[in-house]
Amino acid sequence: MTELQIAAESGLCAELNGRILAEKKSTELLATGQLDKFVILYESLAAIRSHDLAFNAPIIVSDAAHSFSEKDPSAKVKLSTGELLSVKQAIEILMILSDKTAAFLLINTVFGNDHNWRCETSHFFEQLKIKDDVFTVSDQNDDDQLIQNSHMTARSLLKILNKLFNDFPEMLELAKQPELVFQSDRQAIKIKNPNVFLNDADLVTISIANGAKEDDLVAFFKMNQKQYLLELLGLESSQLRDRDTRYTQTKELFSQVREQLWQK
């Protein structure tokens, strides 16, 4: 197997069926920032598929959710106490914008509280035979501590991404939308997809999760009629955070991987 030569702590390139083509320290446990959103998305969609939850089920923003929204630095959509939205809208916000507030709403809507969510997530990991990962939620009672700390290996993240996008391919289409149109009973706004300018015929970026010092990148691309997945965790390039240079940097990373695997 090819060793992935890239400026990231860990990563891999694989077919969407799970066959790994190249990797770098893919079993190393790393803090994964906002990438835990894929777990919450899958759990929410699975609940809808099993008829335990409806896409149009209402969510009424609680005082705790409002407080979380106010404190959440990732929140592009600020929600007020008593505001009414749907499960579908929360999924869209989480998928496109990676707002932790949307994750907070889905966790409490689907599971009732974070303790139940942690238990169900443990079962989900057991089903995927993920044993070497730590997926933690702070034991503190402060609402703004929820879903702050998670660790995962690149290989285990691959299992989650394969499960999500094979079972629910519509999520990949959602990620390509140029903007999010959000309308509750109190506000109506349009927000440009922060990653949409990265999308082209070759490359679709799904998530760039900013940590304190490093970035994570998850992307999908097609080549030779096959769908591939690229994960780069702990990227050294802080320029990914600069909107004006993110496209150039991401295309360069993608080109490096493509050259290693297909243009030798």
Side-chain angles (χ1 to χ4, degrees):
M1 185 180 299
T2 302
E3 182 177 353
L4 195 60
Q5 301 293 331
I6 202 75
E9 289 188 42
S10 173
L12 58 80
C13 183
E15 293 183 23
L16 195 55
N17 63 14
R19 187 172 75 91
I20 298 174
L21 305 179
E23 60 185 345
K24 175 183 178 180
K25 297 182 179 179
S26 64
T27 60
E28 183 173 322
L29 197 65
L30 296 175
T32 55
Q34 297 174 21
L35 296 181
D36 51 11
K37 78 175 188 179
F38 296 117
V39 176
I40 300 167
L41 284 166
Y42 183 85
E43 292 169 331
S44 300
L45 291 164
I48 292 168
R49 184 176 58 185
S50 64
H51 305 292
D52 294 329
L53 186 68
F55 258 124
N56 61 354
I59 298 177
I60 300 175
V61 178
S62 64
D63 287 335
H66 163 66
S67 176
F68 192 105
S69 179
E70 288 297 310
K71 297 175 183 178
D72 178 12
S74 72
K76 286 84 173 176
V77 179
K78 295 293 185 181
L79 302 173
S80 58
T81 301
E83 189 168 355
L84 181 65
L85 65 153
S86 68
V87 167
K88 178 178 181 290
Q89 289 173 310
I91 288 174
E92 290 173 343
I93 292 170
L94 183 56
M95 185 69 218
I96 295 175
L97 302 179
S98 298
D99 282 18
K100 288 188 175 72
T101 300
F104 181 98
L105 289 171
L106 289 170
I107 285 172
N108 285 282
T109 300
V110 178
F111 300 109
N113 56 60
D114 64 292
H115 174 74
N116 292 340
W117 169 64
R118 279 183 282 178
C119 292
E120 290 300 319
T121 297
S122 294
H123 295 324
F124 177 52
F125 280 4
E126 288 175 4
Q127 292 172 2
L128 293 182
K129 297 181 180 180
I130 296 176
K131 300 178 180 180
D132 56 351
D133 300 332
V134 179
F135 193 90
T136 61
V137 178
S138 173
D139 291 331
Q140 299 182 36
N141 292 323
D142 297 335
D143 292 328
D144 62 344
Q145 294 297 315
L146 185 62
I147 56 172
Q148 294 296 314
N149 305 306
S150 60
H151 296 76
M152 201 175 297
T153 69
R155 283 204 173 200
S156 293
L157 179 59
L158 175 63
K159 293 180 181 180
I160 295 167
L161 292 169
N162 281 339
K163 186 69 173 171
L164 173 62
F165 292 106
N166 280 306
D167 285 7
F168 304 104
E170 63 271 22
M171 287 295 101
L172 190 57
E173 294 304 311
L174 176 60
K176 299 177 184 178
Q177 298 303 308
E179 63 181 10
L180 171 68
V181 180
F182 174 76
Q183 182 171 357
S184 71
D185 62 334
R186 297 187 182 180
Q187 59 178 315
I189 55 176
K190 291 182 180 180
I191 303 175
K192 186 176 180 180
N193 186 333
N195 293 321
V196 75
F197 57 86
L198 298 175
N199 298 344
D200 57 31
D202 293 323
L203 180 66
V204 177
T205 298
I206 300 298
S207 177
I208 295 177
N210 295 338
K213 297 180 180 179
E214 298 169 329
D215 301 333
D216 299 327
L217 172 66
V218 173
F220 291 81
F221 60 96
K222 283 186 176 181
M223 185 171 292
N224 301 327
Q225 304 303 312
K226 288 187 177 181
Q227 186 80 52
Y228 296 93
L229 163 67
L230 175 65
E231 296 176 24
L232 299 174
L233 307 182
L235 278 167
E236 298 173 3
S237 176
S238 61
Q239 294 186 59
L240 284 175
R241 304 183 193 186
D242 186 331
R243 185 177 181 85
D244 293 333
T245 61
R246 191 182 298 176
Y247 176 82
T248 302
Q249 292 294 317
T250 302
K251 288 291 287 186
E252 175 61 26
L253 289 167
F254 172 61
S255 297
Q256 291 175 29
V257 172
R258 182 170 55 186
E259 182 175 352
Q260 290 177 47
L261 297 180
W262 286 281
Q263 298 179 4
K264 288 188 174 182

